[in-house]
Amino acid sequence: MDDIDVRILDALRSDGRASITAVAESAHVSRANAYARVARLVDEGVITGFTAKVDPRKSGRASSAYVTLRVDQAEWHALRDTLGSIPEVEHFALVGGDFDVILLVRARDNEDLRRVILEELTSIPSVRDTKTSLVFEDHDLR
């Protein structure tokens, strides 16, 4: 990765739908160079996909929370698959520190959020403990 690759990635983070021409202009390279570099970044797995940014409130997910879990780490692979199958779990990560896993949960409303946390997450056998922090306001920086 060099400075040009970084500029290309910054341009795509800013607008994943940007044309190759716009990416090239933003990165200060030719269109052919930008096209080749984007293709290489995709082939190497640096770029793993292109997505749309969605406003959670406008898309029907008005309640959000960060949920931390203490878990039986020996069961991580099965837990990872289970968490990935819960539609309201937008993101999760295995972390070090006072807890093992952190999740971003987005639900229709507080009742739905309660259901996900108190029924779905706590019913997973490897989950030993949960703590929930409600999100009052969030900002996507990229």
Side-chain angles (χ1 to χ4, degrees), residues 58-124:
K58 291 180 181 177
S59 67
R61 301 249 171 136
S63 293
S64 299
Y66 283 98
V67 181
T68 60
L69 309 176
R70 286 189 314 120
V71 303
D72 177 3
Q73 290 185 10
E75 299 297 321
W76 168 243
H77 294 288
L79 176 61
R80 181 181 60 198
D81 295 340
T82 301
L83 294 175
S85 72
I86 300 172
E88 295 84 1
V89 175
E90 184 170 299
H91 173 84
F92 64 91
L94 179 66
V95 298
D98 294 336
F99 48 87
D100 303 307
V101 179
I102 188 166
L103 321 168
L104 174 56
V105 178
R106 295 199 190 271
R108 288 186 314 272
D109 52 31
N110 285 346
E111 185 177 334
D112 192 36
L113 185 62
R114 178 191 180 283
R115 177 193 57 77
V116 171
I117 295 166
L118 297 181
E119 294 176 21
E120 288 196 52
L121 295 177
T122 60
S123 71
I124 300 169

